[in-house]
Amino acid sequence: KQWYQRRVRGDKRGLDRGMYPTYYLHLEREDHKRVFLLAGRRRKKSSTSNYLISADPTDLSRDGDSYVGKVRSNLVGTKFTIYGSGLNPIKPPKAGPDGLVTYREELAAVVYSTNVLGFKGPRKMTVLIPGMTGDHERIEIRPESEHQSILERHKRGEVANILELHNKTPVWNDETQSYVLNFHGRVTQASVKNFQIIHDNDPEYIVMQFGRVSDEVFTMDFRYPLCALQAFAIALSSFDGKIACE
């Protein structure tokens, strides 16, 4: 399956960017020119970590025409849900031009588990995404209540049409005194944010990898069954400090 190689750049300049940074996803071209794809900005006035994702770097508003999705965490920053555009089912429904109400699609969920080594150990991630049809199309999951969400269904063991992925366990390297993964040159700096996502049945097939190459720049590579929006949103979840996990 084809690799899609992308680059994520963070922008923390300005008075409020340190607290509410913006991240930009670019396509890497062979001539080293960047093509903008998506932007994500941490939302202000939100009780939990919350990122808006837009296809327009100049319009990062919930009501903008370029709004494509969001990432929302629980209070302690250990569970994240990734939504597409559409309506929140707990808010009063608004019918579209065709008179139909379209609830937002859940594109993924990410769970960060406490690692057994406390601060020093690598993070543990579980990534839950909708399954695929025989025609390689994503199965739509549009919950009409919290009970039907990917996270709640997974908690109850109802995993039909849900694909469970995990991060590959890094190996301790005595030379660098850190946990490392083989990114085949795509990642050049050690970071707690570096990860590779796999399915337990085929640990050599890397579904996604993400890692630091400089202070504010990360590489993000992904392939089937993830799309760019899912991969970017999973990467955004990794930028938060996980209170209960580190």
Side-chain angles (χ1 to χ4, degrees):
K1 300 288 195 301
Q2 182 184 352
W3 267 119
Y4 297 97
Q5 295 187 331
R6 305 291 186 261
R7 192 160 279 229
V8 177
R9 181 176 59 83
D11 183 2
K12 297 182 179 179
R13 292 170 298 179
L15 286 174
D16 64 349
R17 285 280 170 89
M19 289 289 289
Y20 306 102
T22 302
Y23 296 95
Y24 301 95
L25 178 67
H26 290 94
L27 166 67
E28 294 182 339
R29 291 199 337 196
E30 288 182 8
D31 60 5
H32 302 299
K33 289 187 177 173
R34 294 183 312 203
V35 179
F36 170 80
L37 297 173
L38 294 168
R41 179 175 167 99
R42 188 167 180 175
R43 293 180 76 182
K44 302 174 186 177
K45 300 176 184 171
S46 182
S47 57
T48 65
S49 177
N50 206 318
Y51 287 90
L52 280 182
I53 303 174
S54 172
D56 182 346
T58 65
D59 181 9
L60 284 154
S61 65
R62 177 73 176 78
D63 301 318
D65 291 338
S66 300
Y67 170 77
V68 292
K70 72 181 247 185
V71 183
R72 189 193 72 195
S73 84
N74 62 353
L75 280 171
V76 291
T78 55
K79 295 180 180 179
F80 291 77
T81 302
I82 295 156
Y83 303 100
S85 57
L87 297 171
N88 183 340
I90 65 172
K91 292 184 177 173
K94 292 182 202 163
D98 52 6
L100 298 174
V101 175
T102 305
Y103 291 118
R104 63 192 180 187
E105 186 180 358
E106 279 196 15
L107 300 175
V110 186
V111 180
Y112 291 87
S113 307
T114 309
N115 68 65
V116 292
L117 299 170
F119 282 105
K120 294 184 170 56
R123 292 171 171 176
K124 289 182 69 176
M125 296 168 70
T126 300
V127 177
L128 307 169
I129 60 173
M132 309 297 278
T133 67
D135 296 326
H136 305 297
E137 297 288 326
R138 184 172 63 240
I139 294 168
E140 287 196 357
I141 297 178
R142 296 183 185 272
E144 295 186 19
S145 69
E146 193 70 28
H147 185 74
Q148 298 171 346
S149 72
I150 291 176
L151 283 171
E152 288 299 315
R153 284 169 53 183
H154 181 259
K155 194 192 295 184
R156 294 193 300 271
E158 297 171 11
V159 292
N161 297 332
I162 294 175
L163 188 60
E164 182 171 335
L165 307 170
H166 296 102
N167 64 315
K168 198 168 189 173
T169 305
V171 178
W172 178 257
N173 183 312
D174 280 333
E175 196 177 313
T176 61
Q177 290 291 295
S178 62
Y179 288 91
V180 296
L181 293 161
N182 184 2
F183 289 96
H184 299 284
R186 291 284 293 157
V187 174
T188 55
Q189 293 189 6
S191 170
V192 70
K193 296 178 175 66
N194 298 351
F195 63 81
Q196 290 177 323
I197 299 296
I198 56 168
H199 190 283
D200 289 350
N201 289 348
D202 188 2
E204 295 311 306
Y205 181 83
I206 309 292
V207 176
M208 174 183 175
Q209 62 180 23
F210 180 77
R212 188 188 291 277
V213 291
S214 70
D215 195 32
E216 294 296 336
V217 180
F218 296 78
T219 51
M220 185 192 93
D221 305 336
F222 66 95
R223 54 184 165 181
Y224 181 88
L226 289 181
C227 69
L229 178 56
Q230 286 171 310
F232 184 46
I234 292 166
L236 288 175
S237 78
S238 80
F239 285 120
D240 263 55
K242 312 290 177 277
I243 296 170
C245 296
E246 293 183 354

